[in-house]
Amino acid sequence: MPKKTTARTKSAPKKRVTKTSIKPSAKPIRPARPKRIGVLTGGGDCPGLNAVLRAVVKTAVINYGWEVIGIEEGFEGLLTPGKTYPLELKDVRGLLPRGGTILGSTNRGNPFEYRQVKGKKSSVVDISDVAMKTYKKLKLDALVVIGGDGSLKIAQRFAEKGINVIGVPKTIDNDLMATDSTFGFRTAVMTATEAIDKLHTTAESHHRAMVVEVMGRYVGWIALESGMAGGADIILIPEIPYDIKKVCEKIRRRNQLGSKFSIVVVAEGAKPLGGDVTVLAKKKSEHALDRLGGVGNRVAAQIDEITGVETRVTVLGHLQRGGTPTAFDRNLSTRFGVAAVGLVAEGLFGRMVCYRNFQIESVPIHEAVGAFKAVDPDGQFVRTAEAIGISFGR
Ligand code: F6P
């Protein structure tokens, strides 16, 4: 297994070294030509992307005297002319609390499997060499890819083709291996928690069951953490296929004991025992992903029918991807951005910065992609929730 390395972050900016202060024998701190690094944000957006961009630019410019080139709309920006521009300190001012990404992002545009439409015919082609040419034309020394599983897989393929890639893990789903947390996740959890808090009061007033569908793709981290923080009665996650009878039993029991309302948090990837996930739209290409959604309505209809308790559904959707990042996510983003530039300085390419045991480290990108980091159905978090009476429908 390749050795893990700790991405060195500098505690204080280096003093500017003037020509006169360099002794003839001293190793120059700056290379002959300042390095030039490209940065792009790929896949679904999430709170904290701008904070990473800000940290990358500030570290590169202030600490090393390098140039940063912003690449718009993920890898698409390396394929289409006119989608790159220098990112200077003035461009990243005020970005820390701003959600989204100033560079734009897209889930489409994988250069290795690019959908090309000619007349009525569409085909999938490998145009990664176009991106390679742009990388060379821009005279980039490295490319920082801020993305989730999909974007990092593409980054890995470019690393294999010779680009000096550094990965930065992002996703509200928190499903990436090799990092305890991705930035954006905690903001999404906070957004969902606030929504659950609000649904509590209306559920109580109307004696209803409220079903809240949250994002998370094939893992239940957002549902688990927001459900527990929001005092949910039932949490349904992909890792624990639910038995609708158990869900209904829990709601009936609550009613019998005088709690005439229930809060049910459902992860979009939750599935019934022996059943499958609910798909909103089928994937359009082999390497794309199905769009999940609809399980909340499915569960609500069954609760209504089986228990007779009036039930309503709220699908939080993209609200969870928006807004200003929490303090934790801002700081994680900043630490990732600084560490990513640190890896470039050390020449440690093909690696992804990660967060482990409160420290920023780095791992080879291939160790982080391809498999999802799932909730342990018998882990401490789930057991803790069950100890306070939360049902997982099992
Ligand atoms: O991966 C982040 C995520 O928000 C998932 O939780 C969700 O399933 C998906 O992206 C939605 O993607 P889109 O923005 O393409 O609808």
Side-chain angles (χ1 to χ4, degrees):
M1 225 176 35
K3 220 175 111 206
K4 270 178 233 149
T5 59
T6 302
R8 248 185 272 143
T9 55
K10 307 206 168 188
S11 50
K14 268 202 174 104
K15 265 191 188 166
R16 281 190 174 272
V17 181
T18 59
K19 269 189 185 164
T20 47
S21 69
I22 299 174
K23 289 181 195 137
S25 59
K27 209 172 146 197
I29 289 173
R30 300 270 166 79
R33 169 175 80 76
K35 277 196 199 306
R36 187 179 245 222
I37 54 179
V39 61
L40 64 83
T41 52
D45 70 340
C46 90
L49 284 169
N50 279 329
V52 181
L53 293 175
R54 172 181 176 267
V56 166
V57 172
K58 287 190 103 166
T59 315
V61 173
I62 299 171
N63 217 23
Y64 296 101
W66 296 347
E67 284 176 87
V68 181
I69 303 293
I71 298 158
E72 291 179 315
E73 286 163 48
F75 292 98
E76 192 73 56
L78 289 173
L79 304 173
T80 322
K83 284 190 178 288
T84 60
Y85 63 95
L87 272 180
E88 295 168 12
L89 288 177
K90 67 172 172 40
D91 301 309
V92 295
R93 229 164 261 146
L95 278 194
L96 197 53
R98 208 163 122 191
T101 160
I102 54 161
L103 290 178
S105 193
T106 175
N107 290 333
R108 297 178 305 276
N110 176 352
F112 293 92
E113 280 122 33
Y114 199 78
R115 182 163 293 278
Q116 257 183 355
V117 184
K118 272 189 190 150
K120 283 185 183 166
K121 278 193 182 162
S122 96
S123 55
V124 175
V125 286
D126 179 351
I127 55 165
S128 56
D129 283 342
V130 177
M132 295 294 292
K133 267 190 203 146
T134 311
Y135 177 82
K136 284 179 194 148
K137 202 171 152 197
L138 289 169
K139 295 192 169 57
L140 296 180
D141 297 288
L143 177 67
V144 176
V145 175
I146 311 169
D149 189 73
S151 306
L152 292 171
K153 272 186 198 152
I154 299 171
Q156 171 63 25
R157 291 183 76 175
F158 276 121
E160 286 158 16
K161 274 186 94 124
I163 287 188
N164 292 331
V165 172
I166 301 294
V168 178
K170 71 88 221 183
T171 166
I172 62 162
D173 304 333
N174 198 30
D175 60 355
L176 273 172
M177 299 290 286
T179 185
D180 293 347
S181 193
T182 49
F183 65 86
F185 166 64
R186 282 162 209 246
T187 307
V189 167
M190 199 61 226
T191 299
T193 304
E194 281 165 8
I196 297 166
D197 285 347
K198 287 181 179 157
L199 289 169
H200 251 108
T201 53
T202 169
E204 204 169 355
S205 310
H206 286 268
H207 306 316
R208 282 173 170 163
M210 286 291 184
V211 174
V212 194
E213 183 182 304
V214 297
M215 283 185 164
R217 199 91 73 178
Y218 297 106
V219 299
W221 291 109
I222 299 178
L224 177 62
E225 294 217 8
S226 66
M228 193 155 140
D233 306 296
I234 297 159
I235 301 174
L236 305 181
I237 57 174
E239 295 85 346
I240 307 176
Y242 63 86
D243 179 345
I244 195 69
K245 283 195 225 118
K246 296 270 167 63
V247 172
C248 292
E249 254 171 53
K250 168 80 182 174
I251 292 174
R252 278 207 200 98
R253 220 178 316 127
R254 280 180 54 78
N255 276 21
Q256 282 159 8
L257 294 172
S259 297
K260 302 261 179 241
F261 71 96
S262 293
I263 301 288
V264 187
V265 177
V266 186
E268 63 180 356
K271 49 184 182 249
L273 262 181
D276 215 343
V277 290
T278 315
V279 173
L280 201 61
K282 284 302 265 178
K283 59 183 180 181
K284 292 200 176 114
S285 69
E286 198 198 330
H287 295 277
L289 291 169
D290 288 337
R291 266 180 70 206
L292 302 181
V295 65
N297 282 303
R298 187 175 172 181
V299 168
Q302 287 176 308
I303 294 174
D304 206 306
E305 194 189 314
I306 298 171
T307 63
V309 174
E310 198 177 19
T311 308
R312 294 288 186 268
V313 191
T314 303
V315 180
L316 288 186
H318 290 80
L319 271 179
Q320 296 157 96
R321 293 238 300 256
T324 181
T326 59
F328 179 89
D329 278 341
R330 293 181 201 191
N331 291 338
L332 187 59
S333 300
T334 301
R335 293 172 75 188
F336 276 168
V338 172
V341 178
L343 287 178
V344 177
E346 289 181 273
L348 292 170
F349 300 114
R351 302 186 73 84
M352 181 192 88
V353 294
C354 61
Y355 179 65
R356 284 172 162 182
N357 294 323
F358 306 101
Q359 294 299 312
I360 305 298
E361 299 179 0
S362 77
V363 287
I365 294 175
H366 64 79
E367 274 185 23
V369 295
F372 292 126
K373 181 183 70 191
V375 172
D376 178 356
D378 295 309
Q380 200 180 56
F381 216 118
V382 171
R383 290 292 178 207
T384 303
E386 284 180 326
I388 55 161
I390 296 175
S391 164
F392 286 85
R394 63 176 169 184

